[in-house]
Amino acid sequence: MRGQTISPEISTARETWIIIGGGATGAAIALRGSQAGHHVTLVDRAPTAGGLTATEQFTINGQSFEVDRFYHVILESDERVLALLNELGLKDTIRWTSAPAEIVADGKRYPATSIVQMATLPMLKLTDRARIGASVAASLALPMKLANRTTSVKWLRTTAGASAMEAFWTPILRAKLGTQAERVSATFVVSTFRRLVKAMLDQKGNRFGVLPGGYAPVFEEMLSRVQAAGGEIRTGVAAQSVESLPSGGVRVTLDDGQSIEGDRVFVTTPAPIVERLVGALTDAERQQLSRPLLGVVCGSFLLATPPNDSYITYLVDDLGLTGVIGMHALLPAEQTGGASLVYLPHYCAPDDEWFELSDDEVRARMLDALGKAFPDFTPEVLASSINRARHVVPLPVPGAGKPLPFVTSVPGVHVVGTAQNTTGTLNVEASLELVDAALDTLVV
């Protein structure tokens, strides 16, 4: 809605807010700001809002439908996501189901739905199974200060042993971190294990929830409420710079030559874009934004038949894929034109050579890897797309200092988003948690 403005009298709003970035974080800030009586303008360079939760359209067998560009699921422990969907009147649209998981090693498939199944894999020795349990227990007891001094790989290899590391923990780390798994601090596994244990103690269950049609209806409802409150949504236009004004307030200059002035600006973009936009940040702040980043190249494939019935397939062999994500196990085929939706992700560094490949080259690599993982399966591709995101989330690396605060040294400029993510795991729940923390900090 580039250039479209639905605005009340500015004098009725307590403040004027400008939000840069229309992903889950930016849209949530816009919603909460408008509900608090502020005049909100949200700016996003993409044609539609959504960021990493944006959708794309396919047509199969004459049926058109939307799916997420990057795969997303909702957990029963995602309290903020569920509360937001309930507020928007969309909670009943969630489709809940349980789905199996597998581990594939050297073309052989093993069930891996539960920790018990994974810990009793045939390729694991009895001593390995015991040490896997010990590594989890040790991780739960490890103080975060100590976890920040070593990598996840070194910690798990020390506590579980080399053979259990290779057969068990390596494919799990690869499924989360791809080629960057070696760099991440042990805070990643400690925080992950603690979340899993908390979910079990809270009896939140092990079901996965999906939104038929992806997150598009969620953004549509959120942003329509912002507009109904007098806010403005500008998509298809990028911010070029953010600066404080000598007289007070802030100015955002856009790539179409226009500028917007307000009382506060919330920058929700990845760290490299924050650095480019806000030229007046201090050297110390730029250092806080300089953590290494995780990127992803993700293929969405609609197949005539799926390779298996699992939601997650962990790959012991390094085939270039982070794993195989069978969304068809959660989303019925009638929602996707009778086809099976499978995501093939490659998580990597932002400068990985995969980002320079054409869509056809990426597609060929992914299908070749799928064939090696399932040698008896020949995929019939009905439709596909390749999506890329160079800056998904910062990696928690050993020795990393404190993240950038929500309040920067530049008056009126706030940074809220992955710049404050210290776990290396990004999802909508984590984004909403950061929004709550930021707005509580700012007392707005």
Side-chain angles (χ1 to χ4, degrees):
M1 290 167 285
R2 183 169 180 166
Q4 180 179 352
T5 306
I6 304 176
S7 177
E9 294 298 323
I10 300 298
S11 60
T12 64
R14 290 199 304 233
E15 288 186 339
T16 299
W17 287 10
I18 306 166
I19 296 117
I20 300 176
T25 302
I29 293 174
L31 178 63
R32 298 307 176 213
S34 64
Q35 289 172 335
H38 304 302
H39 180 264
V40 169
T41 298
L42 183 145
V43 176
D44 194 288
R45 65 180 179 179
T48 58
L52 292 174
T53 42
T55 59
E56 59 186 343
Q57 186 178 79
F58 288 99
T59 301
I60 302 291
N61 298 324
Q63 178 185 343
S64 295
F65 51 89
E66 297 275 336
V67 300
D68 290 316
R69 293 172 61 234
F70 302 97
Y71 53 95
H72 302 282
V73 295
I74 300 168
L75 304 180
E76 291 176 289
S77 57
D78 288 345
E79 296 176 356
R80 290 174 177 81
V81 173
L82 295 175
L84 175 63
L85 293 175
N86 186 56
E87 175 187 343
L88 300 176
L90 297 171
K91 187 175 181 180
D92 290 342
T93 67
I94 303 173
R95 185 180 189 276
W96 292 102
T97 187
S98 299
E102 281 188 344
I103 280 183
V104 172
D106 195 24
K108 296 180 180 179
R109 298 159 53 182
Y110 305 94
T113 303
S114 67
I115 292 294
V116 173
Q117 286 181 332
M118 296 183 76
T120 56
L121 290 167
M123 76 276 285
L124 294 176
K125 305 172 185 175
L126 289 176
T127 53
D128 288 340
R129 298 173 186 178
R131 294 193 68 177
I132 288 169
S135 68
V136 174
S139 298
L140 290 171
L142 184 66
M144 281 295 188
K145 183 179 290 187
L146 297 180
N148 191 40
R149 297 177 183 175
T150 187
T151 66
S152 292
V153 169
K154 289 180 181 178
W155 171 252
L156 291 173
R157 184 176 286 119
T158 298
T159 55
S163 60
M165 182 70 204
E166 184 63 27
F168 186 79
W169 287 125
T170 293
I172 293 176
L173 288 177
R174 185 184 298 130
K176 295 290 186 181
L177 302 164
T179 63
Q180 297 286 73
E182 295 278 345
R183 305 181 65 179
V184 173
S185 72
T187 57
F188 175 81
V189 295
V190 172
S191 60
T192 299
F193 291 156
R194 288 177 181 175
R195 285 198 304 273
L196 291 174
V197 169
K198 182 180 184 300
M200 288 188 290
L201 292 177
D202 291 345
Q203 297 182 333
K204 295 297 185 180
N206 59 356
R207 297 187 302 166
F208 299 100
V210 292
L211 295 168
Y215 268 88
V218 179
F219 280 89
E220 181 179 352
E221 182 61 28
M222 291 173 72
L223 298 182
S224 68
R225 294 190 181 198
V226 171
Q227 289 178 314
E232 177 183 358
I233 311 300
R234 295 193 186 186
T235 55
V237 60
Q240 289 295 299
S241 64
V242 175
E243 59 185 332
S244 288
L245 299 173
S247 57
V250 290
R251 176 189 291 133
V252 176
T253 303
L254 307 176
D255 66 354
D256 62 2
Q258 299 183 50
S259 63
I260 312 171
E261 295 186 6
D263 298 299
R264 301 178 190 256
V265 61
F266 295 81
V267 186
T268 69
T269 60
I273 301 176
V274 174
E275 286 195 83
R276 177 177 61 79
L277 290 176
V278 190
L281 291 173
T282 65
D283 290 342
E285 287 171 323
R286 292 181 183 277
Q287 182 64 32
Q288 288 174 301
L289 290 169
S290 65
R291 286 181 292 162
L293 293 159
L294 183 68
V296 66
V297 179
C298 186
S300 307
F301 291 86
L302 287 147
L303 307 178
T305 57
N308 60 5
D309 61 354
S310 294
Y311 165 54
I312 299 177
T313 300
Y314 301 98
L315 303 176
V316 171
D317 304 312
D318 188 359
L319 302 177
L321 296 179
T322 302
V324 179
I325 308 299
M327 195 59 69
H328 62 88
L330 309 178
L331 197 62
E334 56 263 28
Q335 297 283 341
T336 53
S340 298
L341 177 60
V342 175
Y343 291 95
L344 302 180
H346 174 80
Y347 282 94
C348 55
D351 60 353
D352 193 277
E353 55 105 10
W354 275 61
F355 283 107
E356 309 307 322
L357 300 176
S358 68
D359 285 1
D360 287 342
E361 290 171 324
V362 171
R363 191 176 292 107
R365 285 195 183 190
M366 289 181 167
L367 291 175
D368 178 66
L370 185 65
K372 290 177 180 177
F374 300 94
D376 297 329
F377 174 71
T378 302
E380 180 184 348
V381 180
L382 304 180
S384 66
S385 70
I386 305 298
N387 293 293
R388 301 167 176 82
R390 287 184 184 267
H391 309 127
V392 174
V393 66
L395 295 171
V397 294
K402 293 182 179 180
L404 185 73
F406 298 122
V407 180
T408 73
S409 63
V410 185
V413 177
H414 308 298
V415 175
V416 183
T418 57
Q420 288 87 25
N421 186 303
T422 59
T423 65
T425 299
L426 182 64
N427 49 49
V428 178
E429 180 71 11
S431 296
L432 297 180
E433 183 177 0
L434 279 173
V435 170
D436 286 348
L439 298 185
D440 286 346
T441 299
L442 299 171
V443 194
V444 293

